[in-house]
Amino acid sequence: MAFTTEQRYRAYADWSAEYIEKIKKNTALSPWRTHFHIETPHGLLNDPNGFSYFNGKFTLFYQYFPFGAAHGLKSWVHTESKDLVHFKQTGTVIYPDTPLDSHGAYSGSAMQFGDKLFLFYTGNVRDENWVRHPYQIGALMDQKGNIEKLNKILIEQPDDVTDHFRDPQIFNYQGQYYAIVGGQNLNKKGIIKLYKAHNNDYQQWDYVNDLDFANDNTAYMMECPNLVFVDSKPVLIYCPQGLDKSVLDYQNIYPNMFKIGDNLDVEQAKLVNPTPLQQLDYGFECYATQAFNAPDGRALCISWLALPDMEYPTDKYDYQGCLSLVKQLAIQNGKLYQYPVEDIVNLRTSKEIFAERQHTNNIYELALNFAPNIRHEMVLMADKNGNGLTIIVDTTKGEIIVDRSNCGEKFAEKFGTVRSCQIEKQATTARIFIDRSVFEIFINGGEKVFSGRVFPNAEQTGIAIKQGNPTGYFYQL
Ligand code: FRU
């Protein structure tokens, strides 16, 4: 169903219980429901929000439009986890129900202060002329999950940005709290603004400057900026919408990118000596990645496995979007690695030698080795003709190719159906997670990652090896 503006912004209370029951039943009919990735019972999920540690648990929220597969009036759904593998969804906690967030409780971050979790987010407001007013606002969550909105603007829209000014991320640098906010300047270029908490009070923010990160100034908007410290290096992860492909080529409608700095000069608002821009994920779906430094020292992140302004085959089942696995970040030899948290092994229920097979339930993990000087080609979610998700690990050329063109229902074809990246010409490993309609592929311990969605048909359940000899294990999850 195509949503009208009226439907997208209709008050939550004005949707009938019958309608919600109807779409919930429809969603449950989908053959592509995930087993171990977070998705919604109905409606659209987008960005991960407020990823943090609070009250002895990991806390994570997501952007939610409950009434169908559309981007409308957004709220925050709360989830919690002890192990970062199993998440419990407790329900919607921030509704777009005040004059400061009337048209959407947009993305943001979280940080514990005292015995409360401070949620820092963008209130999206449209006035009677449908002019957008982005307010950086806050709420406190107590240990029982009760929310108290602060009901005041913490950061006003500055004079030098358009109405695209959102997604505050709070972070702690050497005991001082800072925040970055993504935006668009009056020349319609994407920028990131740095703020400092006055006397470390999260309700008072002093503007420092626009962050200097050797911005190439080709993007028109920076969505969801995050600064996280990985092995003591600052890593800036963000979504430069409209980035010129001459700066860095990418095929997805919008990219999720990062730069690593030598250090962060907070006085000068400068990411010192940043690397060139790099792609966070080489796959088809990965956006709005949110990272934070956990109290146990880990740098953790999670991504939205869908993209803005797209249609997905699940739309007809009245839902869209899921979150990635939680990924731990590390830097080795100047390279950013992303790999699933250690406890992910708790999902395993059995271990077998990897081999071709005609049937799986499309819920499994593979831990594979690819010998050097061979072109290895295998097909997951393969039907009896060997059509499915093709993965080529060519250790002769030093190339990984992921091809979804023959995997079930077609979608997003205009953005290409094949993704690839270069690797060293040497023995290579891959850890691959398959979850009915999700794949996450971690090459060489997370040196390169490919994430995406596929919507296989009922016959696409096998594993075929077309060339080469990948060896390793198949884990039922
Ligand atoms: C990114 C984004 C954010 C915004 C949110 C609204 O996907 O557009 O910039 O806060 O989604 O749902």
Side-chain angles (χ1 to χ4, degrees):
M1 144 174 178
F3 278 70
T4 62
T5 302
E6 186 282 318
Q7 287 166 325
R8 288 194 291 127
Y9 291 94
R10 186 182 290 174
Y12 278 36
D14 293 345
W15 292 91
S16 71
E18 294 76 42
Y19 174 80
I20 293 168
E21 201 46 41
K22 187 182 100 197
I23 64 169
K24 193 171 161 188
K25 280 194 181 134
N26 191 30
T27 298
L29 293 175
S30 165
W32 300 307
R33 298 292 288 165
T34 61
H35 183 61
F36 57 94
H37 286 82
I38 295 176
E39 59 183 10
T40 64
H42 52 86
L44 182 142
L45 165 159
N46 59 305
D47 311 354
N49 290 158
F51 195 15
S52 54
Y53 189 77
F54 174 57
N55 205 10
K57 290 176 204 142
F58 290 96
T59 303
L60 172 70
F61 306 79
Y62 62 77
Q63 284 282 282
Y64 189 36
F65 175 70
F67 309 109
H71 288 272
L73 200 51
K74 298 284 172 67
S75 51
W76 281 37
V77 173
H78 174 252
T79 81
E80 56 186 34
S81 175
K82 286 253 178 212
D83 62 1
L84 294 165
V85 175
H86 302 89
F87 282 84
K88 184 170 138 209
Q89 302 202 29
T90 68
T92 302
V93 290
I94 301 193
Y95 287 93
D97 60 358
T98 71
L100 295 180
D101 59 12
S102 55
H103 291 70
Y106 275 11
S107 286
S109 54
M111 178 77 72
Q112 180 166 353
F113 286 89
D115 59 359
K116 303 262 170 74
L117 188 67
F118 168 57
L119 311 178
F120 198 7
Y121 68 101
T122 302
N124 184 52
V125 172
R126 297 276 189 175
D127 64 20
E128 56 285 358
N129 301 316
W130 206 246
V131 174
R132 188 205 302 271
H133 301 276
Y135 299 125
Q136 312 315 314
I137 56 178
L140 294 173
M141 190 171 90
D142 71 14
Q143 298 193 334
K144 293 194 174 116
N146 301 315
I147 295 282
E148 179 201 337
K149 290 190 179 178
L150 297 175
N151 291 324
K152 64 178 189 192
I153 300 171
L154 304 182
I155 299 177
E156 300 264 3
Q157 178 183 346
D159 291 340
D160 62 351
V161 296
T162 69
D163 60 337
H164 290 290
F165 181 61
R166 56 181 175 265
D167 309 338
Q169 185 223 2
I170 181 170
F171 63 95
N172 178 338
Y173 180 63
Q174 298 179 340
Q176 168 68 49
Y177 294 105
Y178 293 89
I180 49 174
V181 184
Q184 178 184 65
N185 69 19
L186 300 180
N187 298 324
K188 302 271 162 85
K189 297 297 174 203
I191 49 104
I192 297 171
K193 288 194 178 281
L194 178 70
Y195 294 83
K196 181 177 181 181
H198 194 86
N199 294 332
N200 257 346
D201 175 359
Y202 58 79
Q203 303 210 37
Q204 290 186 61
W205 293 94
D206 295 331
Y207 174 57
V208 182
N209 215 328
D210 283 13
L211 188 68
D212 174 358
F213 55 102
N215 184 356
D216 57 75
N217 285 318
T218 65
Y220 59 76
M221 170 63 190
M222 305 305 189
E223 291 195 316
C224 303
N226 279 252
L227 250 176
V228 63
F229 294 85
V230 184
D231 300 330
S232 80
K233 298 270 188 216
V235 178
L236 182 67
I237 301 175
Y238 59 107
C239 300
Q241 290 188 309
L243 178 82
D244 196 301
K245 293 187 182 175
S246 66
V247 177
L248 179 61
D249 203 13
Y250 59 94
Q251 285 171 280
N252 295 348
I253 181 169
Y254 305 119
N256 204 167
M257 300 280 181
F258 73 96
K259 288 185 177 190
I260 307 175
D262 276 345
N263 52 61
L264 181 68
D265 181 341
V266 276
E267 305 296 311
Q268 302 296 322
K270 189 177 166 82
L271 187 68
V272 178
N273 197 20
T275 59
L277 200 61
Q278 294 170 68
Q279 204 146 277
L280 192 62
D281 192 291
Y282 289 84
F284 301 89
E285 272 90 20
C286 177
Y287 200 75
T289 299
Q290 187 166 84
F292 85 109
N293 288 102
D296 62 13
R298 284 182 290 179
L300 300 168
C301 76
I302 186 162
S303 312
W304 172 32
L305 296 188
L307 295 170
D309 303 335
M310 300 283 285
E311 289 175 359
Y312 285 88
T314 58
D315 294 5
K316 57 179 166 290
Y317 292 105
D318 297 312
Y319 77 106
Q320 190 189 109
C322 73
L323 296 181
S324 70
L325 298 177
V326 174
K327 297 165 277 193
Q328 193 172 332
L329 301 172
I331 294 178
Q332 278 171 40
N333 298 327
K335 281 189 202 161
L336 185 70
Y337 282 72
Q338 305 166 66
Y339 46 89
V341 295
E342 220 171 288
D343 280 348
I344 199 78
V345 298
N346 296 342
L347 290 176
R348 295 174 179 173
T349 58
S350 72
K351 176 179 181 178
E352 291 156 63
I353 299 285
F354 176 72
E356 290 199 302
R357 52 178 75 206
Q358 274 181 349
H359 295 295
T360 73
N361 61 356
N362 284 342
I363 301 172
Y364 56 83
E365 175 192 345
L366 305 175
L368 301 179
N369 299 301
F370 301 88
N373 300 314
I374 303 181
R375 183 184 185 280
H376 305 266
E377 175 172 344
M378 58 186 189
V379 183
L380 307 181
M381 303 181 171
D383 63 18
K384 60 181 186 322
N385 300 316
N387 289 322
L389 177 68
T390 299
I391 301 173
I392 296 167
V393 178
D394 189 335
T395 55
T396 310
K397 285 196 188 147
E399 190 176 36
I400 311 280
I401 300 174
V402 179
D403 180 343
R404 70 176 177 188
S405 51
N406 292 315
C407 197
E409 205 154 313
K410 306 217 184 304
F411 66 106
E413 285 179 292
K414 78 170 184 188
F415 299 99
T417 56
V418 180
R419 296 288 184 272
S420 64
C421 79
Q422 301 301 308
I423 52 161
E424 294 292 319
K425 295 176 193 168
Q426 61 188 31
T428 298
T429 66
R431 241 177 123 183
I432 302 176
F433 292 83
I434 296 292
D435 189 6
R436 287 214 178 106
S437 55
V438 179
F439 64 87
E440 291 183 79
I441 304 173
F442 300 89
I443 303 294
N444 290 334
E447 181 192 344
K448 296 276 162 62
V449 183
F450 288 79
S451 306
R453 303 296 307 264
V454 278
F455 300 94
N457 60 45
E459 290 74 47
Q460 292 184 303
T461 61
I463 297 178
I465 300 170
K466 294 226 170 148
Q467 200 182 6
N469 60 341
T471 59
Y473 294 100
F474 171 99
Y475 297 95
Q476 189 64 61
L477 305 181

